[in-house]
Amino acid sequence: MANKLKEFIAEVKPKVDAFIAEILKGEPKKLYDAAYHLPSVGGKRLRPALVIMVARTLGATFEEALAPAASVELLHNFTLVHDDIMDKDEKRRGVPTVHVLYGEPMAILAGDVLYAKAYEALLKAPQRPDIVVEMTRMLTWAAVTVAEGQALDMMFEDRWDVSEEEYIEMVKKKTGALFGASAALGALSASKPELKDLLKEFGILLGIAFQIKDDILSLVGDEKVTGKKKYNDLKEGKKTLLVIKALERLSEEEKKKLMSILGNQNATDEELAETANLIIKSGALDYALKKADEIGKRALEILNSLPTKNPEYLELLKELVDFAVKREY
Amino acid sequence: MANKLKEFIAEVKPKVDAFIAEILKGEPKKLYDAAYHLPSVGGKRLRPALVIMVARTLGATFEEALAPAASVELLHNFTLVHDDIMDKDEKRRGVPTVHVLYGEPMAILAGDVLYAKAYEALLKAPQRPDIVVEMTRMLTWAAVTVAEGQALDMMFEDRWDVSEEEYIEMVKKKTGALFGASAALGALSASKPELKDLLKEFGILLGIAFQIKDDILSLVGDEKVTGKKKYNDLKEGKKTLLVIKALERLSEEEKKKLMSILGNQNATDEELAETANLIIKSGALDYALKKADEIGKRALEILNSLPTKNPEYLELLKELVDFAVKREY
């Protein structure tokens, strides 16, 4: 991550985290402990940073963007808690997941509380009521759309004929929507509803690039750096862009091999590594990297068209696009 | 149910249901089918009726209350879908639950979508933005509070020393909060924010009475009339007012017997019926009936203090209190 972006995030993270810690206090303690677990153990805070950077670029103060920033992080954590239950993932951010620590019933409720608290946070925004209503509408759109994306992601696990187009549509919903809402909330934080659709489009592109890179890191990343279990996507049979392209390009025999491992929970580490090599060899990795890069460029074009009040924050947004595409974690 | 109340609900139900059916359209179809399952198979629609009755009592039109009415029903169905997963209940409203039909992962998402759609519905309310913000705040308060109540309910299953006070607090949250929010949303639908706290208080009392009666029906109701599996609460070890009072009043030996069956998933129908008789014999049933009646009376007092514009709707509200306490389903 570029130094300036790193510094910016290091500066805003404690403030966002303090807001989240404060709003996640309540009784019964066990419920709030379960809800606070995931946000308390880390996370990059990219979505709140995005809200604040867009808001500052368009002339808002930090304070005007804090509540929406905390809101999107809460919504993000809600989706992760439920996602981990659905995928039966046992680790996230290097530590056991909420359902492993508190049991599934409490984890479902913890997710529900994080979701409700995302609205509670948003409703603390200091903007005019008509802007707050627009913000609430944007958060709701994101919540609906992320759920649709998660459902598609899950349904694709049972299919072998997922197209690149379908994958992009799924990722646009699963990851793009919340990045899109974050950027749009930044515009609304600056009381610029006329810019919310353009920023939403920017955020969606950023999110898609981010997710493609996320899929890549699950295949070739360093577990110690990413904090996520490698090859998890392969084990779960996720139809990532990498898999879709590999299925197109491999020989019949190699394709059969790939299909025998994909979604096989009992696959050994050796088999998974072999499968990863097959995918890389097919050229799918290069294709996905190029795709993420292209989408990142489209996001940059939007940034260059913005009526910027604070150019230093525009630079940070460009660095964020760069990070989404090139990061190692 | 009194005839006038029945007629009123029969009149508003199709309109609320049409609103819900319309808002639960989307892709992927499987997700929306899962989300629409529970609202489509029945339900009394008491909460939306409550919103509309309060709104009409205070001078609003039906149209002004429709969006909030649909919203609370969506929120209610969201909590039921997740609750059924947490409790591993296989039937609700006489048909298989969402997770039985669609699997747990899709059911979690279906609940999440119902939740988000509750906000989407509310944001269609035609009131001024400042009133819509207040409505959103009220729905959020209810969502947080219901989750807290569900967590308490679950945590009480592992305890034998739950007091009547703790039970009332739990039920106030689990059931009272959404009835409270419904009545408050009725006041806000009539653009009367100054009445929202009083109506919230009324709704909470109504909800508590309703839940005590619900617990009673789980013990002595007719399965064919209630549509719910009898003795489910006993099997799950729920600390209802009935159980709490019985534990206070039974002899040591009877108490031991009760404790050996409570929370025992393998208890036979005969053992469960015997346990139910123990509870009835202890006087706990009479106590709970009296308690529900008392709380209903306090709710009626609030109704009598309202600045009523349409007395016929006030009468319906009184009938609703009566129904909550005396119903057989």
Side-chain angles (χ1 to χ4, degrees), chain A residues 227-279:
Chain A
K228 277 180 212 166
K229 197 104 190 76
K230 209 168 165 176
Y231 307 144
N232 236 355
D233 288 351
L234 296 180
K235 262 194 178 170
E236 285 167 7
K238 296 279 183 205
K239 297 305 176 303
T240 64
L241 185 55
L242 297 153
V243 165
I244 291 165
K245 281 291 137 184
L247 285 169
E248 272 177 36
R249 291 169 178 216
L250 290 171
S251 70
E252 274 309 307
E253 202 181 324
E254 292 168 323
K255 203 174 140 177
K256 257 191 203 153
K257 199 159 185 188
L258 175 59
M259 289 170 73
S260 75
I261 299 299
L262 267 186
N264 179 347
Q265 293 284 348
N266 302 317
T268 65
D269 283 351
E270 209 188 327
E271 287 171 324
L272 290 165
E274 241 177 83
T275 308
N277 281 332
L278 264 185
I279 294 173

Short mmCIF file of all heavy atoms in Angstrom, two decimals, chain A residues 227-279:
data_model
loop_
_atom_site.label_atom_id
_atom_site.label_comp_id
_atom_site.label_asym_id
_atom_site.label_seq_id
_atom_site.Cartn_x
_atom_site.Cartn_y
_atom_site.Cartn_z
N GLY A 227 -3.78 -13.74 5.77
CA GLY A 227 -4.56 -14.10 6.96
C GLY A 227 -5.74 -14.99 6.63
O GLY A 227 -6.56 -15.29 7.50
N LYS A 228 -5.83 -15.41 5.36
CA LYS A 228 -6.95 -16.29 4.97
C LYS A 228 -6.40 -17.63 4.51
O LYS A 228 -5.33 -17.71 3.93
CB LYS A 228 -7.73 -15.65 3.82
CG LYS A 228 -8.74 -14.64 4.27
CD LYS A 228 -9.47 -14.05 3.08
CE LYS A 228 -9.85 -12.61 3.35
NZ LYS A 228 -10.24 -11.88 2.17
N LYS A 229 -7.16 -18.67 4.74
CA LYS A 229 -6.77 -20.01 4.33
C LYS A 229 -6.68 -20.05 2.79
O LYS A 229 -7.62 -19.72 2.09
CB LYS A 229 -7.82 -21.01 4.84
CG LYS A 229 -7.35 -22.45 4.85
CD LYS A 229 -6.98 -22.95 6.25
CE LYS A 229 -6.28 -24.28 6.17
NZ LYS A 229 -4.86 -24.21 5.72
N LYS A 230 -5.52 -20.49 2.31
CA LYS A 230 -5.29 -20.60 0.87
C LYS A 230 -6.17 -21.72 0.29
O LYS A 230 -6.49 -22.68 0.99
CB LYS A 230 -3.82 -20.94 0.64
CG LYS A 230 -3.25 -20.44 -0.68
CD LYS A 230 -1.74 -20.55 -0.66
CE LYS A 230 -1.16 -20.42 -2.06
NZ LYS A 230 0.31 -20.44 -2.03
N TYR A 231 -6.53 -21.60 -0.97
CA TYR A 231 -7.28 -22.63 -1.70
C TYR A 231 -8.71 -22.85 -1.17
O TYR A 231 -9.38 -23.81 -1.58
CB TYR A 231 -6.55 -23.98 -1.71
CG TYR A 231 -5.13 -23.91 -2.22
CD1 TYR A 231 -4.13 -24.69 -1.66
CD2 TYR A 231 -4.79 -23.06 -3.28
CE1 TYR A 231 -2.82 -24.64 -2.14
CE2 TYR A 231 -3.48 -22.99 -3.74
CZ TYR A 231 -2.51 -23.79 -3.17
OH TYR A 231 -1.22 -23.73 -3.62
N ASN A 232 -9.16 -21.98 -0.24
CA ASN A 232 -10.51 -22.13 0.29
C ASN A 232 -11.55 -22.10 -0.83
O ASN A 232 -12.51 -22.88 -0.83
CB ASN A 232 -10.81 -21.00 1.28
CG ASN A 232 -11.23 -21.55 2.64
OD1 ASN A 232 -11.38 -22.76 2.79
ND2 ASN A 232 -11.43 -20.67 3.60
N ASP A 233 -11.34 -21.20 -1.78
CA ASP A 233 -12.27 -21.06 -2.91
C ASP A 233 -12.36 -22.37 -3.70
O ASP A 233 -13.44 -22.75 -4.16
CB ASP A 233 -11.83 -19.94 -3.85
CG ASP A 233 -12.04 -18.55 -3.25
OD1 ASP A 233 -12.68 -18.47 -2.18
OD2 ASP A 233 -11.58 -17.57 -3.84
N LEU A 234 -11.21 -23.03 -3.88
CA LEU A 234 -11.19 -24.29 -4.63
C LEU A 234 -11.99 -25.35 -3.87
O LEU A 234 -12.83 -26.04 -4.44
CB LEU A 234 -9.76 -24.79 -4.83
CG LEU A 234 -8.82 -23.91 -5.68
CD1 LEU A 234 -7.43 -24.56 -5.77
CD2 LEU A 234 -9.38 -23.71 -7.09
N LYS A 235 -11.71 -25.45 -2.58
CA LYS A 235 -12.40 -26.44 -1.74
C LYS A 235 -13.91 -26.25 -1.76
O LYS A 235 -14.68 -27.20 -1.74
CB LYS A 235 -11.92 -26.30 -0.30
CG LYS A 235 -10.83 -27.30 0.07
CD LYS A 235 -10.67 -27.32 1.59
CE LYS A 235 -9.63 -28.31 2.02
NZ LYS A 235 -9.29 -28.17 3.44
N GLU A 236 -14.33 -24.97 -1.74
CA GLU A 236 -15.76 -24.69 -1.70
C GLU A 236 -16.40 -24.74 -3.09
O GLU A 236 -17.62 -24.60 -3.22
CB GLU A 236 -16.00 -23.31 -1.06
CG GLU A 236 -15.80 -23.37 0.46
CD GLU A 236 -15.72 -21.99 1.09
OE1 GLU A 236 -15.94 -20.99 0.39
OE2 GLU A 236 -15.41 -21.93 2.30
N GLY A 237 -15.56 -24.94 -4.10
CA GLY A 237 -16.10 -25.02 -5.46
C GLY A 237 -16.57 -23.69 -6.01
O GLY A 237 -17.45 -23.64 -6.87
N LYS A 238 -15.98 -22.59 -5.51
CA LYS A 238 -16.36 -21.25 -5.99
C LYS A 238 -16.02 -21.10 -7.47
O LYS A 238 -14.93 -21.49 -7.90
CB LYS A 238 -15.60 -20.17 -5.20
CG LYS A 238 -15.93 -20.13 -3.72
CD LYS A 238 -17.22 -19.38 -3.43
CE LYS A 238 -17.47 -19.31 -1.93
NZ LYS A 238 -18.88 -19.15 -1.58
N LYS A 239 -16.95 -20.54 -8.21
CA LYS A 239 -16.69 -20.30 -9.63
C LYS A 239 -16.09 -18.90 -9.79
O LYS A 239 -16.78 -17.93 -10.10
CB LYS A 239 -17.97 -20.46 -10.46
CG LYS A 239 -18.57 -21.86 -10.42
CD LYS A 239 -17.58 -22.93 -10.84
CE LYS A 239 -18.14 -24.33 -10.71
NZ LYS A 239 -18.62 -24.69 -9.37
N THR A 240 -14.79 -18.82 -9.51
CA THR A 240 -14.09 -17.55 -9.68
C THR A 240 -13.77 -17.35 -11.15
O THR A 240 -13.84 -18.29 -11.95
CB THR A 240 -12.79 -17.53 -8.87
OG1 THR A 240 -11.92 -18.54 -9.40
CG2 THR A 240 -13.05 -17.83 -7.40
N LEU A 241 -13.37 -16.14 -11.50
CA LEU A 241 -12.97 -15.86 -12.88
C LEU A 241 -11.84 -16.80 -13.29
O LEU A 241 -11.78 -17.28 -14.44
CB LEU A 241 -12.52 -14.39 -12.99
CG LEU A 241 -12.17 -13.89 -14.39
CD1 LEU A 241 -13.32 -14.13 -15.37
CD2 LEU A 241 -11.81 -12.40 -14.35
N LEU A 242 -10.94 -17.10 -12.34
CA LEU A 242 -9.82 -18.00 -12.60
C LEU A 242 -10.31 -19.38 -13.02
O LEU A 242 -9.83 -19.97 -13.99
CB LEU A 242 -8.98 -18.13 -11.33
CG LEU A 242 -8.32 -16.84 -10.83
CD1 LEU A 242 -8.10 -16.90 -9.34
CD2 LEU A 242 -7.03 -16.60 -11.58
N VAL A 243 -11.25 -19.89 -12.28
CA VAL A 243 -11.78 -21.22 -12.57
C VAL A 243 -12.54 -21.22 -13.90
O VAL A 243 -12.40 -22.13 -14.73
CB VAL A 243 -12.69 -21.69 -11.41
CG1 VAL A 243 -13.53 -22.89 -11.82
CG2 VAL A 243 -11.85 -22.02 -10.17
N ILE A 244 -13.35 -20.19 -14.09
CA ILE A 244 -14.14 -20.10 -15.33
C ILE A 244 -13.22 -20.09 -16.56
O ILE A 244 -13.45 -20.82 -17.53
CB ILE A 244 -15.03 -18.84 -15.31
CG1 ILE A 244 -16.12 -18.99 -14.25
CG2 ILE A 244 -15.65 -18.55 -16.67
CD1 ILE A 244 -16.83 -17.70 -13.89
N LYS A 245 -12.16 -19.29 -16.49
CA LYS A 245 -11.22 -19.20 -17.61
C LYS A 245 -10.45 -20.50 -17.78
O LYS A 245 -10.20 -20.95 -18.90
CB LYS A 245 -10.25 -18.03 -17.41
CG LYS A 245 -10.85 -16.69 -17.75
CD LYS A 245 -11.10 -16.55 -19.25
CE LYS A 245 -12.46 -15.91 -19.49
NZ LYS A 245 -12.81 -15.82 -20.91
N ALA A 246 -10.04 -21.11 -16.67
CA ALA A 246 -9.28 -22.37 -16.74
C ALA A 246 -10.14 -23.45 -17.39
O ALA A 246 -9.67 -24.21 -18.25
CB ALA A 246 -8.82 -22.79 -15.36
N LEU A 247 -11.43 -23.50 -17.00
CA LEU A 247 -12.33 -24.51 -17.59
C LEU A 247 -12.45 -24.31 -19.10
O LEU A 247 -12.57 -25.28 -19.86
CB LEU A 247 -13.72 -24.43 -16.94
CG LEU A 247 -13.84 -25.01 -15.52
CD1 LEU A 247 -15.18 -24.65 -14.90
CD2 LEU A 247 -13.66 -26.53 -15.52
N GLU A 248 -12.37 -23.08 -19.55
CA GLU A 248 -12.43 -22.78 -21.00
C GLU A 248 -11.18 -23.23 -21.73
O GLU A 248 -11.23 -23.63 -22.88
CB GLU A 248 -12.54 -21.26 -21.20
CG GLU A 248 -13.95 -20.69 -21.21
CD GLU A 248 -13.91 -19.16 -21.35
OE1 GLU A 248 -13.03 -18.64 -22.06
OE2 GLU A 248 -14.77 -18.52 -20.72
N ARG A 249 -10.03 -23.12 -21.03
CA ARG A 249 -8.75 -23.23 -21.74
C ARG A 249 -8.03 -24.56 -21.58
O ARG A 249 -7.14 -24.87 -22.37
CB ARG A 249 -7.83 -22.11 -21.25
CG ARG A 249 -8.31 -20.76 -21.72
CD ARG A 249 -7.58 -19.64 -21.02
NE ARG A 249 -8.05 -18.36 -21.54
CZ ARG A 249 -7.30 -17.29 -21.71
NH1 ARG A 249 -6.03 -17.34 -21.40
NH2 ARG A 249 -7.81 -16.18 -22.19
N LEU A 250 -8.38 -25.33 -20.55
CA LEU A 250 -7.64 -26.57 -20.30
C LEU A 250 -8.07 -27.67 -21.27
O LEU A 250 -9.17 -27.63 -21.83
CB LEU A 250 -7.85 -27.04 -18.86
CG LEU A 250 -7.20 -26.18 -17.76
CD1 LEU A 250 -7.68 -26.62 -16.38
CD2 LEU A 250 -5.68 -26.26 -17.84
N SER A 251 -7.19 -28.67 -21.44
CA SER A 251 -7.54 -29.85 -22.24
C SER A 251 -8.61 -30.65 -21.50
O SER A 251 -8.79 -30.47 -20.29
CB SER A 251 -6.30 -30.73 -22.44
OG SER A 251 -5.96 -31.33 -21.19
N GLU A 252 -9.28 -31.53 -22.21
CA GLU A 252 -10.37 -32.32 -21.60
C GLU A 252 -9.87 -33.04 -20.34
O GLU A 252 -10.55 -33.08 -19.32
CB GLU A 252 -10.91 -33.34 -22.60
CG GLU A 252 -12.01 -32.80 -23.52
CD GLU A 252 -13.13 -32.09 -22.75
OE1 GLU A 252 -13.70 -32.67 -21.81
OE2 GLU A 252 -13.42 -30.91 -23.08
N GLU A 253 -8.68 -33.58 -20.45
CA GLU A 253 -8.14 -34.37 -19.33
C GLU A 253 -7.84 -33.49 -18.11
O GLU A 253 -8.19 -33.81 -16.98
CB GLU A 253 -6.84 -35.08 -19.78
CG GLU A 253 -6.50 -36.29 -18.93
CD GLU A 253 -5.20 -36.93 -19.42
OE1 GLU A 253 -4.99 -36.93 -20.66
OE2 GLU A 253 -4.41 -37.37 -18.58
N GLU A 254 -7.20 -32.35 -18.40
CA GLU A 254 -6.88 -31.41 -17.31
C GLU A 254 -8.17 -30.87 -16.68
O GLU A 254 -8.26 -30.69 -15.47
CB GLU A 254 -6.04 -30.25 -17.85
CG GLU A 254 -4.64 -30.65 -18.28
CD GLU A 254 -3.95 -29.53 -19.07
OE1 GLU A 254 -4.63 -28.83 -19.86
OE2 GLU A 254 -2.73 -29.36 -18.91
N LYS A 255 -9.14 -30.62 -17.53
CA LYS A 255 -10.43 -30.10 -17.07
C LYS A 255 -11.08 -31.09 -16.11
O LYS A 255 -11.62 -30.71 -15.07
CB LYS A 255 -11.33 -29.90 -18.31
CG LYS A 255 -12.44 -28.90 -18.11
CD LYS A 255 -13.18 -28.66 -19.43
CE LYS A 255 -14.66 -28.55 -19.16
NZ LYS A 255 -15.43 -28.25 -20.39
N LYS A 256 -11.01 -32.36 -16.48
CA LYS A 256 -11.57 -33.42 -15.63
C LYS A 256 -10.90 -33.40 -14.26
O LYS A 256 -11.54 -33.55 -13.22
CB LYS A 256 -11.35 -34.79 -16.28
CG LYS A 256 -12.60 -35.34 -16.93
CD LYS A 256 -12.40 -36.80 -17.34
CE LYS A 256 -13.38 -37.14 -18.45
NZ LYS A 256 -12.87 -38.23 -19.29
N LYS A 257 -9.58 -33.25 -14.27
CA LYS A 257 -8.81 -33.22 -13.04
C LYS A 257 -9.26 -32.04 -12.16
O LYS A 257 -9.53 -32.20 -10.97
CB LYS A 257 -7.32 -33.09 -13.37
CG LYS A 257 -6.44 -33.51 -12.24
CD LYS A 257 -5.04 -33.86 -12.71
CE LYS A 257 -4.23 -34.39 -11.55
NZ LYS A 257 -2.82 -34.56 -11.89
N LEU A 258 -9.35 -30.88 -12.80
CA LEU A 258 -9.78 -29.67 -12.09
C LEU A 258 -11.16 -29.89 -11.47
O LEU A 258 -11.40 -29.58 -10.29
CB LEU A 258 -9.82 -28.49 -13.08
CG LEU A 258 -10.37 -27.15 -12.58
CD1 LEU A 258 -9.56 -26.64 -11.39
CD2 LEU A 258 -10.35 -26.10 -13.69
N MET A 259 -12.07 -30.47 -12.25
CA MET A 259 -13.44 -30.67 -11.78
C MET A 259 -13.52 -31.68 -10.64
O MET A 259 -14.43 -31.63 -9.82
CB MET A 259 -14.35 -31.08 -12.94
CG MET A 259 -14.61 -29.93 -13.91
SD MET A 259 -15.43 -30.43 -15.46
CE MET A 259 -17.09 -30.77 -14.89
N SER A 260 -12.56 -32.62 -10.61
CA SER A 260 -12.60 -33.64 -9.54
C SER A 260 -12.16 -33.04 -8.20
O SER A 260 -12.49 -33.56 -7.14
CB SER A 260 -11.71 -34.82 -9.93
OG SER A 260 -10.35 -34.47 -9.78
N ILE A 261 -11.39 -31.97 -8.25
CA ILE A 261 -10.90 -31.36 -7.00
C ILE A 261 -11.83 -30.23 -6.52
O ILE A 261 -12.09 -30.07 -5.33
CB ILE A 261 -9.46 -30.80 -7.20
CG1 ILE A 261 -8.49 -31.92 -7.57
CG2 ILE A 261 -8.98 -30.08 -5.94
CD1 ILE A 261 -8.37 -33.02 -6.53
N LEU A 262 -12.34 -29.46 -7.47
CA LEU A 262 -13.21 -28.31 -7.14
C LEU A 262 -14.41 -28.73 -6.30
O LEU A 262 -15.17 -29.61 -6.70
CB LEU A 262 -13.73 -27.67 -8.41
CG LEU A 262 -12.92 -26.50 -9.00
CD1 LEU A 262 -13.69 -25.91 -10.16
CD2 LEU A 262 -12.63 -25.45 -7.96
N GLY A 263 -14.58 -28.11 -5.14
CA GLY A 263 -15.73 -28.41 -4.29
C GLY A 263 -15.56 -29.68 -3.49
O GLY A 263 -16.49 -30.11 -2.81
N ASN A 264 -14.37 -30.25 -3.58
CA ASN A 264 -14.10 -31.48 -2.82
C ASN A 264 -13.47 -31.12 -1.47
O ASN A 264 -12.30 -30.77 -1.38
CB ASN A 264 -13.15 -32.35 -3.66
CG ASN A 264 -12.78 -33.65 -2.95
OD1 ASN A 264 -13.03 -33.81 -1.74
ND2 ASN A 264 -12.18 -34.57 -3.68
N GLN A 265 -14.29 -31.22 -0.42
CA GLN A 265 -13.84 -30.79 0.91
C GLN A 265 -12.69 -31.65 1.44
O GLN A 265 -11.98 -31.25 2.35
CB GLN A 265 -15.01 -30.81 1.91
CG GLN A 265 -16.10 -29.78 1.64
CD GLN A 265 -15.70 -28.36 2.04
OE1 GLN A 265 -14.70 -28.15 2.72
NE2 GLN A 265 -16.46 -27.36 1.59
N ASN A 266 -12.55 -32.85 0.84
CA ASN A 266 -11.51 -33.75 1.34
C ASN A 266 -10.22 -33.68 0.53
O ASN A 266 -9.30 -34.48 0.75
CB ASN A 266 -12.02 -35.19 1.34
CG ASN A 266 -13.27 -35.33 2.20
OD1 ASN A 266 -13.33 -34.77 3.29
ND2 ASN A 266 -14.27 -36.04 1.69
N ALA A 267 -10.13 -32.76 -0.41
CA ALA A 267 -8.92 -32.66 -1.23
C ALA A 267 -7.71 -32.38 -0.34
O ALA A 267 -7.79 -31.60 0.61
CB ALA A 267 -9.10 -31.54 -2.25
N THR A 268 -6.59 -33.04 -0.66
CA THR A 268 -5.37 -32.83 0.13
C THR A 268 -4.69 -31.53 -0.31
O THR A 268 -4.96 -31.01 -1.39
CB THR A 268 -4.37 -33.98 -0.08
OG1 THR A 268 -3.95 -33.95 -1.46
CG2 THR A 268 -5.00 -35.32 0.24
N ASP A 269 -3.76 -31.04 0.53
CA ASP A 269 -3.02 -29.81 0.18
C ASP A 269 -2.26 -30.00 -1.13
O ASP A 269 -2.16 -29.08 -1.93
CB ASP A 269 -2.04 -29.45 1.31
CG ASP A 269 -2.76 -28.82 2.49
OD1 ASP A 269 -3.97 -28.53 2.34
OD2 ASP A 269 -2.13 -28.63 3.55
N GLU A 270 -1.75 -31.20 -1.31
CA GLU A 270 -0.99 -31.48 -2.54
C GLU A 270 -1.90 -31.39 -3.77
O GLU A 270 -1.55 -30.76 -4.77
CB GLU A 270 -0.40 -32.89 -2.43
CG GLU A 270 0.90 -33.06 -3.20
CD GLU A 270 1.33 -34.52 -3.21
OE1 GLU A 270 1.07 -35.22 -2.20
OE2 GLU A 270 1.92 -34.94 -4.22
N GLU A 271 -3.06 -32.02 -3.66
CA GLU A 271 -4.01 -31.97 -4.79
C GLU A 271 -4.43 -30.54 -5.09
O GLU A 271 -4.56 -30.14 -6.25
CB GLU A 271 -5.26 -32.82 -4.47
CG GLU A 271 -5.01 -34.31 -4.51
CD GLU A 271 -6.19 -35.13 -3.98
OE1 GLU A 271 -6.84 -34.68 -3.00
OE2 GLU A 271 -6.46 -36.19 -4.53
N LEU A 272 -4.65 -29.75 -4.01
CA LEU A 272 -5.07 -28.37 -4.19
C LEU A 272 -3.97 -27.56 -4.88
O LEU A 272 -4.23 -26.77 -5.79
CB LEU A 272 -5.44 -27.75 -2.84
CG LEU A 272 -6.72 -28.29 -2.22
CD1 LEU A 272 -6.81 -27.90 -0.74
CD2 LEU A 272 -7.95 -27.80 -2.97
N ALA A 273 -2.70 -27.78 -4.46
CA ALA A 273 -1.58 -27.06 -5.06
C ALA A 273 -1.44 -27.43 -6.54
O ALA A 273 -1.18 -26.57 -7.39
CB ALA A 273 -0.30 -27.38 -4.30
N GLU A 274 -1.63 -28.72 -6.83
CA GLU A 274 -1.57 -29.18 -8.22
C GLU A 274 -2.65 -28.50 -9.06
O GLU A 274 -2.41 -28.05 -10.18
CB GLU A 274 -1.86 -30.70 -8.23
CG GLU A 274 -0.74 -31.56 -8.78
CD GLU A 274 -1.14 -33.01 -8.65
OE1 GLU A 274 -1.88 -33.51 -9.54
OE2 GLU A 274 -0.76 -33.65 -7.64
N THR A 275 -3.84 -28.43 -8.49
CA THR A 275 -4.96 -27.79 -9.19
C THR A 275 -4.67 -26.31 -9.44
O THR A 275 -4.95 -25.78 -10.52
CB THR A 275 -6.25 -27.94 -8.35
OG1 THR A 275 -6.40 -29.32 -8.03
CG2 THR A 275 -7.46 -27.47 -9.11
N ALA A 276 -4.10 -25.66 -8.41
CA ALA A 276 -3.75 -24.25 -8.57
C ALA A 276 -2.76 -24.09 -9.73
O ALA A 276 -2.90 -23.17 -10.56
CB ALA A 276 -3.14 -23.72 -7.27
N ASN A 277 -1.78 -25.01 -9.83
CA ASN A 277 -0.82 -24.94 -10.92
C ASN A 277 -1.48 -25.10 -12.28
O ASN A 277 -1.11 -24.43 -13.25
CB ASN A 277 0.28 -26.00 -10.74
CG ASN A 277 1.30 -25.53 -9.71
OD1 ASN A 277 1.51 -24.32 -9.55
ND2 ASN A 277 1.93 -26.46 -9.02
N LEU A 278 -2.43 -26.02 -12.35
CA LEU A 278 -3.20 -26.21 -13.60
C LEU A 278 -3.84 -24.89 -14.03
O LEU A 278 -3.78 -24.50 -15.20
CB LEU A 278 -4.32 -27.23 -13.36
CG LEU A 278 -4.09 -28.68 -13.73
CD1 LEU A 278 -5.39 -29.46 -13.53
CD2 LEU A 278 -3.62 -28.80 -15.18
N ILE A 279 -4.46 -24.21 -13.06
CA ILE A 279 -5.16 -22.96 -13.36
C ILE A 279 -4.18 -21.90 -13.85
O ILE A 279 -4.42 -21.21 -14.84
CB ILE A 279 -5.93 -22.46 -12.11
CG1 ILE A 279 -7.07 -23.45 -11.78
CG2 ILE A 279 -6.51 -21.07 -12.34
CD1 ILE A 279 -7.78 -23.16 -10.47
#
